[in-house]
Amino acid sequence: MGVGGTLEYLSELMGSGHKHHKKRKQHQTVELKVRMDCDGCELKVKKALSSISGVKSVEISRKQQKVTVTGYVEANKVLKKAKSTGKKAEIWPYVPYNLVAQPYAAAAYDKKAPAGYVRNVDSTPAAASTSAVVRYEQDPYISLFSDENPNACSVM
């Protein structure tokens, strides 16, 4: 327990029955994907995110375009502050590839993902496969050149 936590605990013990303090934010880690090209971009993002109240640390990996913010913060406020720097920012969309059932499926595979990561996709393979089947059944070009189509030769 840090000094701040100890003082808060003691003040609650010594305080009267009136408890009118606001709800405390949860300590969490927020990971963002922020487009950064140079040291100046990195410094600008770090300075802006460090200025949010409740932030304990800001770690930046420019190679992965990843920013990790730790502290008593809300994810949407961190994202909004990152976007206010003028950089393209989003919540970290990647997970380690071993956590995805089919990491090389079209929905999960992303060429821009860092090594060992794929896009975070819904883990229900039944929903993904039915949407793909519906898409193919509605696509008229797939049956246009099939062997079962008697008019296929007239198109060629």
Side-chain angles (χ1 to χ4, degrees):
M1 195 182 274
V3 174
T6 306
L7 291 175
E8 185 176 308
Y9 175 74
L10 290 173
S11 68
E12 284 180 16
L13 284 177
M14 303 305 253
S16 62
H18 302 289
K19 293 188 178 184
H20 50 79
H21 55 84
K22 61 182 180 179
K23 185 178 177 183
R24 187 174 173 175
K25 296 175 187 169
Q26 293 291 324
H27 187 273
Q28 63 179 348
T29 301
V30 180
E31 295 178 329
L32 302 174
K33 179 181 179 184
V34 181
R35 178 98 171 114
M36 296 172 287
D37 297 323
C38 62
D39 290 334
C41 298
E42 188 176 327
L43 186 63
K44 184 177 184 180
V45 171
K46 187 169 189 162
K47 187 176 178 183
L49 294 177
S50 297
S51 70
I52 300 173
S53 64
V55 170
K56 298 296 179 195
S57 69
V58 178
E59 298 171 13
I60 296 179
S61 170
R62 191 180 345 152
K63 184 177 180 181
Q64 290 186 335
Q65 303 286 309
K66 183 177 184 178
V67 177
T68 306
V69 179
T70 307
Y72 298 98
V73 293
E74 295 177 13
N76 58 354
K77 287 186 179 180
V78 174
L79 180 62
K80 186 176 179 181
K81 190 70 166 183
K83 286 183 177 181
S84 73
T85 63
K87 305 293 174 199
K88 183 179 177 187
E90 62 180 320
I91 298 294
W92 186 252
Y94 305 117
V95 294
Y97 75 95
N98 58 356
L99 297 179
V100 178
Q102 297 176 336
Y104 298 107
Y109 186 72
D110 186 358
K111 289 191 293 188
K112 296 179 182 178
Y117 288 91
V118 293
R119 282 223 173 247
N120 189 9
V121 294
D122 192 13
S123 62
T124 55
S129 64
T130 56
S131 64
V133 170
V134 171
R135 191 182 85 218
Y136 289 141
E137 288 177 353
Q138 293 174 352
D139 193 2
Y141 300 111
I142 291 186
S143 63
L144 188 64
F145 295 105
S146 84
D147 293 333
E148 297 170 1
N149 184 358
N151 298 324
C153 293
S154 66
V155 174
M156 293 182 186

